[in-house]
Amino acid sequence: MAETSTTDENIMAAYRRYLRLQRNVSRNTLDAYLLDASKLLTYLEGSGKVLTEVTLDDLQLFLHYLHDIGIGPRSTCRIVSGAKSLFRFMLLDGYIENDPSELLENPTIGEHLPEFLTPAEVDLLEDSIDLSKPEGHRNRAIIEVLFSCGLRVSELVNLKFSDVYPEERYVRIMGKGAKERLVPISERALHEIDNYMPWRQTLKIKKGEEDYVFLNRRGSHLTRVMILIMLKRQAEEAGLQKVISPHTLRHSFATALLEGGADLRVIQVLLGHESIGTTEIYTHLSMNTLREEVLLHHPRNVISHARSQT
């Protein structure tokens, strides 16, 4: 291993010198590599890890994080390329013994349908939470709000009590482009928030954070990375084989509505999408459901069914 300091700051300084002096990249290319690396460093800071500790699993979760904050597949491919360059350098310079990015795959360019959870799987996720732990009721409330309201993770961490209307059973959300929308919130989600309140009231809340619904132990509102890590750990506790993220629950919300018969335009409004095409990407119907709909509603099948009953 290298004898030089292995702090992230020193590794990045050495990487910068490597790109500039040995790779002789242009200034624009250098800035692009370092900007992409900064996204990885920001994610790692939130997860409490340093570059020399990164695993393939960490990098796969990092890709989910990029997706959740709105980074598209093409930009993600560029960031993956930058990460691979960084870890190859660290391997060559002796900072690490194995390259965690070697088996990291780029996201598919084009339409991508993330995994979704059925309502039963969401129940399994919630039931696996240890409610004797301080954050137990908070984490259960987070999962229920994500699934019941279909919020983006950024919308969840910025949710404030002043935007929750329990009597009317809706929340006011400020979405992308500062566009406001009203989203119904279930009785169950409100109940889980109520169950979380006794622990929240024991916290020493930082000034300016009083109105945020979901707080950490230090009395500050949560970050997107914290939510991602919590969901990953909870999925493992629940024995779910799917790799889930906050977006998985948003997609599960849309899928449950669509399979329950909701109009696609209604789902578009609830998700805060400008284009109906975006909503179509987020929604998913199993082939079995599609087949059942055709068999039930297509006129040829309706006639055949009627004849079989005579």
Side-chain angles (χ1 to χ4, degrees):
M1 300 293 289
E3 294 182 0
T4 55
S5 174
T6 56
T7 64
D8 286 355
E9 183 178 355
N10 283 304
I11 289 173
M12 290 307 299
Y15 180 53
R16 182 188 183 94
R17 290 193 297 271
Y18 163 77
L19 291 173
R20 186 164 51 88
L21 301 176
Q22 295 188 42
R23 290 278 302 276
N24 196 29
V25 300
S26 69
R27 179 56 185 267
N28 287 341
T29 301
L30 175 66
D31 290 343
Y33 270 116
L34 296 178
L35 179 62
D36 290 341
S38 71
K39 293 182 174 64
L40 175 59
L41 291 172
T42 298
Y43 169 76
L44 293 176
E45 183 179 355
S47 63
K49 281 204 169 186
V50 295
L51 284 169
T52 53
E53 299 172 342
V54 171
T55 64
L56 176 60
D57 190 42
D58 293 324
L59 292 175
Q60 289 171 335
L61 283 171
F62 173 58
L63 297 192
H64 282 283
Y65 164 74
L66 293 176
H67 184 271
D68 287 340
I69 64 174
I71 304 295
R74 294 186 186 279
S75 296
T76 299
C77 286
R78 189 198 66 237
I79 294 170
V80 168
S81 176
K84 285 179 176 288
S85 171
L86 171 59
F87 286 110
R88 279 196 299 269
F89 158 74
M90 290 174 62
L91 183 66
L92 289 171
D93 244 37
Y95 289 104
I96 53 178
E97 295 179 352
N98 298 290
D99 181 358
S101 70
E102 186 175 3
L103 299 178
L104 185 65
E105 296 181 356
N106 283 320
T108 303
I109 301 296
E111 184 175 294
H112 172 62
L113 294 175
E115 288 192 285
F116 68 96
L117 300 179
T118 65
E121 287 174 322
V122 175
D123 289 341
L124 183 64
L125 191 65
E126 293 181 354
D127 291 343
S128 69
I129 295 173
D130 184 351
L131 296 180
S132 68
K133 292 184 177 180
E135 300 93 345
H137 283 292
R138 182 203 65 188
N139 292 348
R140 189 179 173 102
I142 286 171
I143 292 171
E144 187 58 37
V145 170
L146 284 171
F147 178 61
S148 294
C149 301
L151 304 185
R152 300 178 177 94
V153 65
S154 58
E155 295 167 348
L156 178 95
V157 298
N158 288 305
L159 184 64
K160 297 180 178 179
F161 284 110
S162 55
D163 292 324
V164 178
Y165 300 86
E167 291 186 7
E168 294 82 1
R169 288 177 58 178
Y170 71 81
V171 292
R172 181 174 58 192
I173 301 299
M174 189 65 70
K176 287 185 176 180
K179 291 188 176 179
E180 183 179 289
R181 70 184 191 277
L182 299 177
V183 179
I185 184 168
S186 70
E187 192 67 39
R188 180 166 170 175
L190 291 170
H191 177 69
E192 297 297 348
I193 292 174
D194 285 341
N195 287 341
Y196 147 65
M197 291 306 295
W199 177 70
R200 187 185 185 279
Q201 289 166 357
T202 67
L203 301 176
K204 186 177 180 181
I205 301 174
K206 292 186 177 179
K207 187 177 181 180
E209 304 283 287
E210 297 88 354
D211 198 23
Y212 287 99
V213 175
F214 296 112
L215 303 175
N216 60 29
R217 292 189 183 199
R218 297 180 298 277
S220 299
H221 68 282
L222 298 171
T223 67
R224 293 174 290 196
V225 175
M226 290 176 184
I227 304 292
L228 179 66
I229 293 170
M230 181 274 287
L231 283 175
K232 173 185 177 293
R233 290 174 178 167
Q234 209 54 58
E236 292 173 351
E237 289 287 332
L240 294 173
Q241 299 303 310
K242 299 175 181 178
V243 178
I244 71 168
S245 70
H247 179 73
T248 309
L249 290 167
R250 178 169 160 86
H251 185 55
S252 303
F253 162 83
T255 302
L257 285 176
L258 192 63
E259 293 191 340
D263 185 270
L264 197 61
R265 299 260 175 209
V266 172
I267 299 172
Q268 176 189 0
V269 172
L270 293 175
L271 291 176
H273 290 158
E274 277 193 37
S275 167
I276 192 71
T278 307
T279 310
E280 289 169 348
I281 292 174
Y282 277 89
T283 55
H284 168 83
L285 278 174
S286 68
M287 289 305 296
N288 286 338
T289 303
L290 290 173
R291 179 177 179 276
E292 288 169 4
E293 289 296 305
V294 171
L295 290 176
L296 185 62
H297 297 296
H298 193 279
R300 292 288 187 258
N301 292 306
V302 171
I303 293 170
S304 298
H305 179 72
R307 286 175 178 169
S308 68
Q309 299 300 310
T310 60

